[in-house]
Amino acid sequence: MEQLGGNLVIDVQQLTKRYGPIVAVNDVSFRVEPGQILGFLGPNGAGKTTTMRVLTGYIPPTNGRAIVAGFDVFEQAVEAKRRTGYLPETPPLYPEMTVREYLTFVARINAIGSNQRRPRVDLAMDRTSIGDMANRHCGKLSKGYRQRVGLAQAILHNPDVLILDEPTAGLDPKQIIETRELIKGLAGDHTIILSTHILPEVAQTCERVVIINKGCVVAEDTPINLTNRLKGSETIHLEIDTGGADPTAGLESVPGVTRIASGTDNGGEWSFDVESAEGTDVRRELVHAVVSKGWGLLEMRPVRLSLEEIFLQLTTEEDEQPNERKPSTEGGTEEVEPVEATDA
């Protein structure tokens, strides 16, 4: 069977999903290179889960296509699913099975040979730190352990692609750190899409970010490039010891400096945010100015927008469109899907 997509592991092309008049996903396109971890961000109701479900073959798109591990997710559905591991927001566990029984069952339906099932199950349990729960019924697990069993089933058949929807939901801080390290350790051998509401998780785990809002991609880049692009100027945080003299005028005269954004005096030690035009590096000029005046340079570092600030800047709009989403009971919005979508 012919593989598609060239060197790309995930290639989403003009993906659209409508439910009657409601547009859940609107002309979404993005690509993921081999071994990358892509963070998929957006507010509630933005279209993240719908996109995940299309990529895993759970629901069909209205328009566009998605290629996963070289196979179209609907025209070559079986081959695409063989190469995909999926952890939905609610892990698909059978409460009456023990953890080992459940993972063995998953190994069987993934066509893992009988002589390989136990080693694969043991490895998946070890990597997700659930070995001590092997004989516990899934229905009696805590939420955190259920999440980890869900992650174990996703990696059990060693897929090319992992699609993880809120993988650390319900975990305690220690488990979150362990899961983040596990996900980072899986990169390289697997290509990963990580959908989450937890912004620090993306900053600490992902190499690239796609931000989606109201069904549309509003940004795609590395976190650092997003910061530089959205800020529109370069900012350097500068701390100097002048012995008491006000250095503001001296810094404003430095070539390339456009604005001294703020300045505070702490007994002769001054702190400034110094702005320059986008793409202009004034660090050498600042150092020269400080040294030539006999001041002490205490600190110099770039100032970047946080991922939270980027997220809010891209997804907060004054004019809401209530006809595209229905209100949720928790004050956000929720994606609307027809009942028959579960049969797709």
Side-chain angles (χ1 to χ4, degrees):
M1 184 174 292
E2 180 184 2
Q3 285 187 281
L4 309 171
N7 293 327
L8 298 170
V9 178
I10 299 172
D11 188 7
V12 179
Q13 304 170 5
Q14 298 177 306
L15 199 68
T16 297
K17 180 62 181 178
R18 298 188 184 93
Y19 299 110
I22 298 169
V23 182
V25 176
N26 186 16
D27 198 29
V28 165
S29 298
F30 61 88
R31 297 177 172 186
V32 190
E33 302 288 342
Q36 280 189 337
I37 304 178
L38 177 78
F40 201 59
L41 287 174
N44 290 334
K48 299 188 305 300
T49 295
T50 297
T51 305
M52 300 292 99
R53 290 176 177 176
V54 171
L55 288 177
T56 55
Y58 180 67
I59 56 174
T62 305
N63 297 108
R65 70 188 309 201
I67 297 169
V68 172
F71 297 94
D72 187 287
V73 296
F74 278 92
E75 293 180 2
Q76 301 164 306
V78 173
E79 295 299 327
K81 289 177 180 179
R82 282 176 179 165
R83 292 160 175 83
T84 303
Y86 179 38
L87 173 60
E89 191 170 358
T90 301
L93 309 184
Y94 291 103
E96 69 278 5
M97 288 183 174
T98 66
V99 170
R100 181 175 291 280
E101 287 171 344
Y102 169 68
L103 292 177
T104 301
F105 167 71
V106 172
R108 291 177 62 191
I109 63 176
N110 277 288
I112 296 174
S114 57
N115 61 329
Q116 289 296 314
R117 287 173 197 159
R118 188 177 183 90
R120 289 282 191 93
V121 168
D122 288 341
L123 178 61
M125 288 196 297
D126 180 63
R127 300 190 78 177
T128 53
S129 301
I130 56 173
D132 56 339
M133 295 288 130
N135 298 316
R136 181 79 60 88
H137 284 89
C138 293
K140 296 182 178 180
L141 296 174
S142 68
K143 184 175 182 180
Y145 271 110
R146 290 199 301 271
Q147 200 74 8
R148 286 196 275 173
V149 173
L151 186 55
Q153 66 80 28
I155 67 174
L156 189 63
H157 58 298
N158 194 31
D160 295 325
V161 173
L162 284 174
I163 298 178
L164 310 177
D165 198 354
E166 304 285 352
T168 60
L171 304 186
D172 63 39
K174 182 175 182 293
Q175 293 168 344
I176 288 174
I177 293 171
E178 291 172 347
T179 303
R180 285 176 185 165
E181 292 304 313
L182 168 61
I183 292 171
K184 286 191 286 188
L186 292 172
D189 295 328
H190 308 268
T191 300
I192 301 170
I193 293 184
L194 172 65
S195 172
T196 182
H197 292 88
I198 305 172
L199 300 181
E201 189 165 280
V202 173
Q204 296 176 35
T205 308
C206 301
E207 302 162 68
R208 293 185 65 81
V209 179
V210 169
I211 300 179
I212 186 172
N213 189 39
K214 294 186 177 181
C216 300
V217 171
V218 294
E220 179 186 359
D221 214 325
T222 65
I224 291 177
N225 286 346
L226 281 176
T227 293
N228 294 336
R229 196 172 82 204
L230 293 175
K231 195 166 183 64
S233 65
E234 307 293 338
T235 303
I236 297 293
H237 179 75
L238 187 67
E239 293 187 12
I240 56 179
D241 183 356
T242 67
D246 186 345
T248 304
L251 294 176
E252 287 176 336
S253 66
V254 171
V257 170
T258 57
R259 179 172 175 255
I260 304 297
S262 61
T264 58
D265 178 15
N266 182 23
E269 294 183 1
W270 290 79
S271 298
F272 291 94
D273 284 343
V274 181
E275 293 186 0
S276 60
E278 184 176 3
T280 302
D281 187 349
V282 296
R283 288 176 296 176
R284 289 182 178 85
E285 289 78 6
L286 286 172
V287 170
H288 177 74
V290 170
V291 173
S292 65
K293 294 181 182 297
W295 299 333
L297 179 60
L298 304 179
E299 182 179 359
M300 177 184 287
R301 57 178 169 81
V303 177
R304 296 189 173 95
L305 290 173
S306 68
L307 191 56
E308 287 86 351
E309 290 171 316
I310 294 170
F311 181 81
L312 290 173
Q313 185 171 329
L314 290 170
T315 61
T316 302
E317 297 179 8
E318 293 182 3
D319 297 326
E320 297 294 333
Q321 300 178 17
N323 61 315
E324 293 187 358
R325 297 286 185 272
K326 77 176 186 180
S328 75
T329 57
E330 297 179 356
T333 55
E334 60 183 4
E335 294 166 25
V336 182
E337 295 188 0
V339 173
E340 64 268 25
T342 57
D343 298 325

